[in-house]
Amino acid sequence: MDALSETLRVVRLVGAIFINARFSAPWCYQSPRADSVAPLLEPGAERVVIFHLIADGECFVEIGQEKPVRLSAGDVVLFPQGDAHRMTSQPGLPPAKGGRLDEVLARRPRQLAYGGGGAITRLVCGYLACDARLADILLAGLPPLVRVNVRGSSAGPWLEASVRYALTEAKSPRPGGEGVLAKLAEVLFIEVLRLYMNEQAEGRTGWLAGLGDRIVGSALTALHKCPAQAWTLEELARTAGTSRSVLAERFQLLVGSSPMQYLTQWRMLLAANLLSRSNAPLARIAEDVGYQTDTAFSRAFRREFGAPPAAWRRNQLRRQPAGQFSP
């Protein structure tokens, strides 16, 4: 399994499409910071990433003091740091005063239609929720706004058609419509990350930039494929087809840590995933993530999470709804 697929498996994304909008110019709406609406979108979520798909027409997105970005049909924009932003038919318009967000989200996907009667723009809004630490790895180095056009992807036509179909199904009495939309939100998010990797420009840093680099990407793939292996920098450099000094320098530049520091961090995230989602003994989990003794594993885990594995697991179990713990 490649590093991106493995990371997404551990991240365990939870997604939904929550607004299907038809706006007519002039129009403008304000989206608040993601952390302020996370409890309404996905109760208990540590991190929420909001995205918008422009299904038809065109519009602008305004974020902070940055220059407005024009969007056209097929564009998807997501906000890795959860910044507040405006979607608008033209820059500078005041946002509409709508109802309370909890009322807007009472039924999903909510159908919205408003504006001044001019040119039509159709938006589909969704979100992905995931663990904060894993999101920090996956989204590290990304700008406040990521924009790609799925119509440039071989999966684009299928994705857009599937979203339209699922939105229609969500209005029908047949069960399962919202489940289909949730899965499509995840697929759309993953496709955005893949397209962004392919479009990477010179000078970008972060985990996705590292994954797209020939040397660092080879090292990341090896670490994710065999995290329990007793890696040394020399062995990892040999696997990546380079020298230790080149690997260490490029890894630090792109990922922001040394290869061995990254390996420890990834092992701890894998361990946390196993602790919270299985009843496997600590000794087995320690072995699965590359530690020969419980003591060494507990010491490393405490450094990362501030508590020993057993206590951390108990705390996670108290926070989980019944039925989410599986062997």
Side-chain angles (χ1 to χ4, degrees), residues 10 38 91 93 132 134 137 139 141 152 162 176 207 210-211 217 219 223 243 273 275 286 320-321:
V10 175
L93 293 177
L134 289 166
I137 286 182
L139 304 176
S162 298
W207 190 83
L211 198 58
L223 294 177
S243 67
N273 187 59
L275 286 166
Q320 288 180 0

Side-chain angles (χ1 to χ4, degrees), residues 196-252:
Y196 180 80
M197 284 176 58
N198 291 338
E199 297 175 0
Q200 284 195 43
E202 192 69 26
R204 286 182 180 172
T205 60
W207 190 83
L208 287 174
L211 198 58
D213 180 81
R214 181 184 65 82
I215 292 173
V216 177
S218 295
L220 284 169
T221 297
L223 294 177
H224 281 253
K225 183 178 180 181
C226 302
Q229 183 171 323
W231 288 103
T232 64
L233 184 59
E234 183 175 0
E235 290 170 332
L236 191 60
R238 191 182 306 119
T239 299
T242 189
S243 67
R244 291 181 300 172
S245 59
V246 169
L247 174 60
E249 182 180 355
R250 289 196 64 76
F251 207 101
Q252 183 71 46

